[in-house]
Amino acid sequence: MTEHDEAAWNEGVAAQSDEPSDPMFSAEVVRPAVERLAALAGDGPALEFGIGTGRIALPLAARGVEVHGLDLSQPMVDQLRMKAGGEAIPVTVGDFSTAAVESASPGSFALVYLVYNTIMNVTSQAGQTAVFRNAARHLRPGGAFLIETLIPDLQRLPLGGRFVPFDVSPDHLGFDEYDLVSQRLVSHHWTRRDDDWEASSGPFRYVWPAELDLMAELAGLRLRDRWAGWAGEPLTAESRSHVSVWEKP
């Protein structure tokens, strides 16, 4: 399931993206992300790559930020449109590594952002580098490109091993399968649905912070800030994720 595979982001995946029990929808997670993004956007428009069903875009728009979206999946956008405020957000359906937003002039955005590990849905280094170039094309001078993504959990991988569990609970089992040569991983899920277990898997490409910095440099962007989380916590060797901001000079 990659950002470049339109068929993978179907109606079923769109519906599951709004799972109310997902902690990513909790106010404790969403509020600090929206506050940080609103501060970065200031009085300018913001563009979300991979807007999906609007988990972040809708509350950000409710804060008064002019939000636009770019997403490959029409079913995801349809789900967004059914929500309060969703019709008011202009969304271009297209690949966020290459597509241009139709509803705004080039180089007009104060902020482009990409959250919740979505950069890893682009499963090649060349594709991820293209995402930075596309972000830079949409940014005005002084604008910011923000990515939230995990730090590869290789410290928990035994020598010669491939699998790392990330969730073991009564209704869900999750394991990441790593390929250290290609920097690919596959997230495997077994989810309880009533009396049955439903299996699903999705491919990703993990990427290191330093590698992202090089992609940014190739796109003419420079690192401004990097934190362990949305509240601005310092990044340490034990951090499991990071929020990074690059700016367009």
Side-chain angles (χ1 to χ4, degrees), residues 8-249:
W9 301 95
N10 54 35
E11 290 83 355
V13 173
Q16 292 177 17
S17 297
D18 280 337
E19 187 70 43
S21 61
D22 189 335
M24 295 307 295
F25 283 85
S26 69
E28 291 77 12
V29 173
V30 172
R31 187 184 302 111
V34 169
E35 289 176 355
R36 177 73 63 182
L37 293 169
L40 287 169
D43 60 358
L47 169 61
E48 181 168 1
F49 281 180
I51 191 171
T53 63
R55 180 182 70 94
I56 297 297
L58 288 170
L60 183 60
R63 284 282 299 265
V65 176
E66 179 188 337
V67 180
H68 297 243
L70 181 55
D71 202 288
L72 187 67
S73 170
Q74 186 64 57
M76 289 281 195
V77 177
D78 292 342
Q79 192 91 349
L80 167 65
R81 293 285 181 248
M82 291 188 290
K83 298 179 179 180
E87 285 289 346
I89 297 178
V91 179
T92 300
V93 176
D95 185 335
F96 63 63
S97 66
T98 56
V101 170
E102 299 168 354
S103 55
S105 59
S108 61
F109 287 97
L111 172 67
V112 178
Y113 64 97
L114 187 61
V115 298
Y116 199 23
N117 308 323
T118 305
I119 186 64
M120 300 198 312
N121 292 123
V122 182
T123 54
S124 72
Q125 187 182 65
Q128 291 173 343
T129 303
V131 172
F132 276 83
R133 292 195 178 102
N134 201 29
R137 283 193 290 268
H138 284 87
L139 285 172
R140 65 193 188 190
F145 179 38
L146 178 146
I147 287 180
E148 174 203 19
T149 192
L150 60 78
I151 293 174
D153 212 1
L154 303 189
Q155 289 181 326
R156 298 177 59 206
L157 196 65
L159 184 64
R162 292 162 42 213
F163 295 92
V164 174
F166 60 86
D167 185 32
V168 178
S169 58
D171 296 318
H172 180 258
L173 301 174
F175 297 86
D176 281 335
E177 180 182 7
Y178 284 87
D179 181 338
L180 302 187
V181 175
S182 67
Q183 284 186 214
R184 299 289 185 95
L185 70 84
V186 179
S187 286
H188 301 282
H189 300 263
W190 287 266
T191 305
R192 187 193 297 274
R193 306 288 184 192
D194 298 323
D195 294 330
D196 295 322
W197 286 85
E198 179 182 290
S200 63
S201 297
F204 302 92
R205 181 185 187 270
Y206 64 83
V207 59
W208 300 97
E211 189 179 5
L212 292 172
D213 290 343
L214 182 56
M215 293 176 184
E217 184 176 343
L218 292 172
L221 306 176
R222 61 191 180 198
L223 183 67
R224 179 195 295 180
D225 289 298
R226 174 166 288 138
W227 310 287
W230 289 104
E233 309 93 321
L235 189 72
T236 71
E238 288 73 42
S239 299
R240 304 288 293 277
S241 64
H242 66 100
V243 175
S244 298
V245 181
W246 300 269
E247 65 180 0
K248 184 174 183 177

